[in-house]
Amino acid sequence: MSEDTHDPGEPHEPGTDAQPGGTDGFPESDPRFPSGPWVGFYQQGGVQSRQRMRLRFSGGRIEGDGRDPVDGFAVAGTYNVETARCSLVKRYRDYEVEYNGSAGDGIGGVWRIMYHEMIADTGSFHIWPDLVAMDEGLREQAQASQHDTR
């Protein structure tokens, strides 16, 4: 395995070595980064649009998918439990949106769309764990477990 020489104060770029924050292959234990359903919004041109995501946090990496008024998208990125910094990319069929932010009350920050190495559009965002959906998922798992043991 190669040695990770990345500055621990900065989020990793997707596809680089993992960083502190969970054990590769296992969900993150830091409560700021729960795997599961997330909800939130992004601001663009004075309009606030809702988004839903299913995110998995493990070993400094973020993976998932989601949907917003534009379309469905894939999510890939990184997070750092020491600095609380997060960097992710929403990949639509035809373009990508970069998200950079910090974890605290959910994850909030700035998104941007790049076009020929120039910023084509930018705005703010805020996402947080969908605790209601997570609770429903846990209840369904418990019920299925009870049913399997009968």
Side-chain angles (χ1 to χ4, degrees), residues 126-145:
H126 194 158
I127 59 174
W128 53 90
D130 185 346
L131 299 178
V132 172
M134 285 183 181
D135 187 47
E136 289 172 358
L138 291 173
R139 265 199 312 273
E140 289 173 3
Q141 286 177 355
Q143 288 172 349
S145 172

Side-chain angles (χ1 to χ4, degrees), residues 34-150:
S35 294
W38 285 63
V39 295
F41 64 87
Y42 60 90
Q43 299 261 137
Q44 183 175 21
V47 176
Q48 182 172 305
S49 298
R50 291 186 52 88
Q51 56 186 344
R52 294 190 157 285
M53 301 180 198
R54 179 160 297 279
L55 300 176
R56 176 172 168 79
F57 295 86
S58 178
R61 298 189 191 287
I62 307 168
E63 297 176 337
D65 56 42
R67 178 159 289 286
D68 62 22
V70 174
D71 201 356
F73 52 84
V75 176
T78 59
Y79 66 98
N80 185 309
V81 295
E82 294 171 5
T83 64
R85 300 287 304 154
C86 301
S87 177
L88 61 90
V89 176
K90 287 174 43 178
R91 287 188 176 85
Y92 295 93
R93 190 179 349 213
D94 298 327
Y95 66 98
E96 298 178 347
V97 182
E98 299 173 7
Y99 279 64
N100 289 292
S102 297
D105 179 21
I107 300 171
V110 176
W111 62 266
R112 67 183 185 174
I113 298 172
M114 301 295 290
Y115 183 73
H116 294 294
E117 299 184 19
M118 295 177 62
I119 296 176
D121 204 355
T122 189
S124 62
F125 77 93
H126 194 158
I127 59 174
W128 53 90
D130 185 346
L131 299 178
V132 172
M134 285 183 181
D135 187 47
E136 289 172 358
L138 291 173
R139 265 199 312 273
E140 289 173 3
Q141 286 177 355
Q143 288 172 349
S145 172
Q146 288 175 350
H147 179 59
D148 290 344
T149 59
R150 291 182 189 171

Side-chain angles (χ1 to χ4, degrees), residues 6-20:
H6 186 77
D7 176 358
E10 294 295 320
H12 277 81
E13 290 300 315
T16 62
D17 292 336
Q19 61 179 355

